[in-house]
Amino acid sequence: MASTLFDVLGDEWFCVTVIRGLGEADVLARLDAVGPDPLPRCPIDGVAEHLSPDSWVVRVHCPEGSGRAYVLDAFPQMGIPFREPVLKELSRSTEAVSVWKLLDGTTRVAHARDGEILALFDSWRFDPASGTDPDRLNRALERVGFFLDEPDDDFSDPASALEAVESEFGLAVDPREVAGPLPTLVVPVRAH
């Protein structure tokens, strides 16, 4: 299985958090979103035309009938939906998984449930995920080729991390929808 999210997010920077059971209004409320009403709808490559790259800007995608909400960092070097206070709030009374590709060779994955971070993985460290309950995330990462002494030459940390969470958490998304115009908003700066 290849990652459908990787098809659109690509090998540059990206950060995506997927939350089970939340709709768009719930996500916006949990993010304490600010912005005009209605929110601007920006494509993946058009956010800088409307909002400052210094802002904590995210795009929200809630595919009809999927039971999932996708929060995509508009300026992925920030890693907004991966940040601990944001991820804890998004996972309150539900479950969330987040993947952040911030530098070449550095991909981070987090699994949270009920406002608690259960597992954190950083590919730079070459160690399995740590946390209070890392087993599920470690199994998913191992299935796609992490933790091998000699990974395949074509192994890609970000593509494999996305493939692991898509497979383990039952995620499926249309890359065209993710690339297209989505509600775009500023998240108030929170403690790091």
Side-chain angles (χ1 to χ4, degrees):
M1 170 190 162
S3 168
T4 55
L5 276 171
F6 189 74
D7 291 344
V8 69
L9 299 177
D11 202 22
E12 294 294 322
W13 299 329
F14 65 78
C15 186
V16 59
T17 296
V18 185
I19 310 100
R20 182 175 40 89
L22 294 185
E24 185 177 302
D26 297 322
V27 171
L28 297 179
R30 288 182 185 213
L31 291 173
D32 198 19
V34 295
D37 187 22
L39 290 171
R41 297 181 63 85
C42 299
I44 197 167
D45 57 357
V47 177
E49 297 171 20
H50 303 283
L51 298 160
S52 168
D54 295 332
S55 301
W56 280 31
V57 180
V58 296
R59 298 167 63 242
V60 177
H61 178 50
C62 299
E64 188 72 34
S66 72
R68 303 282 191 270
Y70 295 77
V71 178
L72 302 120
D73 198 329
F75 303 111
Q77 67 275 18
M78 302 294 280
I80 295 158
F82 193 91
R83 303 274 180 152
E84 186 174 336
V86 177
L87 188 54
K88 283 182 172 185
E89 181 61 23
L90 288 172
S91 71
R92 186 175 37 83
S93 301
T94 189
E95 180 178 47
V97 63
S98 187
V99 180
W100 182 20
K101 197 271 188 174
L102 61 154
L103 298 170
D104 286 338
T106 303
T107 301
R108 295 181 180 162
V109 185
H111 176 214
R113 185 175 44 238
D114 295 324
E116 178 187 354
I117 309 293
L118 302 176
L120 287 170
F121 172 73
D122 187 336
S123 67
W124 180 256
R125 297 184 181 167
F126 303 103
D127 292 325
S130 61
T132 60
D133 190 5
D135 293 344
R136 183 177 183 190
L137 184 57
N138 282 329
R139 279 192 308 273
L141 293 168
E142 186 173 27
R143 272 196 305 269
V144 297
F146 282 97
F147 318 131
L148 297 175
D149 290 335
E150 297 291 326
D152 292 338
D153 290 338
D154 61 344
F155 182 80
S156 163
D157 285 6
S160 296
L162 285 170
E163 180 181 345
V165 300
E166 286 176 70
S167 173
E168 180 66 24
F169 295 91
L171 309 180
V173 67
D174 182 341
R176 294 171 303 207
E177 289 180 12
V178 173
L182 295 174
T184 305
L185 55 121
V186 175
V187 177
V189 176
R190 302 167 189 244
H192 294 43

